[in-house]
Amino acid sequence: MIIQCFGKKKNAIAITTAKKGSGKIKINGVPINLVHPLDIKNKILEPFFILGSNERLNLNFDIFSKGGGKVSQIYAIRQSISKCLVFYYYKYISASKSNLLKIKYLTYDKKLLISDVSRIEPKKYFLNS
């Protein structure tokens, strides 16, 4: 059982692969325990906090992120994790729990499931003031 989802924020892309395992999370090969500062770690783990502590998932998450800045990568990572969790619930647990989780994520923060399409506006050279 392998689930693969992606998240985007501006130029940053994160790809999350979820496999059966013991609950380990790695970002670009680095365990989540070694991610510092604590605020960044908490921002990455928000989808799990929203899910609740009583839900124990035996999934290993391998996350690969590239492009953009550090903050954009963090937002892309949390989006890909939340998409993975929603898809896991839909495919392996139940569609109704998946819909409840999707509603939880959307009420907390819309950016957890919906990609950000904002780009840098190109410079208009012909407009001189």
Side-chain angles (χ1 to χ4, degrees):
M1 180 221 60
I2 296 175
I3 298 171
Q4 196 168 31
C5 295
F6 73 95
K8 285 183 172 184
K9 171 76 171 167
K10 293 186 179 178
N11 289 332
I13 297 173
I15 300 168
T16 300
T17 306
K19 302 175 189 172
K20 279 286 187 194
S22 58
K24 296 178 184 172
I25 302 171
K26 286 187 178 183
I27 301 169
N28 292 334
V30 178
I32 192 74
N33 308 3
L34 301 179
V35 174
H36 290 290
L38 191 61
D39 294 339
I40 291 175
K41 185 186 203 177
N42 288 339
K43 200 69 171 168
I44 291 171
L45 294 176
E46 266 182 1
F48 297 108
F49 296 149
I50 297 168
L51 182 65
S53 60
N54 57 352
E55 297 287 335
R56 180 72 179 130
L57 299 174
N58 292 325
L59 294 174
N60 286 346
F61 290 91
D62 291 325
I63 304 161
F64 173 72
S65 67
K66 69 173 187 172
K70 292 291 180 188
V71 174
S72 293
Q73 284 184 2
I74 291 165
Y75 277 92
I77 287 169
R78 68 196 280 259
Q79 185 182 68
S80 66
I81 289 173
S82 58
K83 282 182 177 180
C84 239
L85 288 172
V86 167
F87 189 72
Y88 173 77
Y89 267 72
Y90 181 77
K91 192 167 183 181
Y92 296 106
I93 296 179
S94 74
S96 61
K97 283 191 178 183
S98 171
N99 286 336
L100 289 175
L101 184 61
K102 189 185 284 189
I103 290 169
K104 270 188 189 179
Y105 283 153
L106 288 175
T107 54
Y108 182 78
D109 187 5
K110 187 177 88 167
K111 302 261 188 254
L112 280 171
L113 294 177
I114 300 171
S115 294
D116 182 29
V117 294
S118 63
R119 298 283 182 254
I120 296 173
E121 185 73 23
K123 185 168 174 65
K124 312 304 193 279
Y125 289 103
F126 57 86
L127 293 178
N128 292 334
S129 51

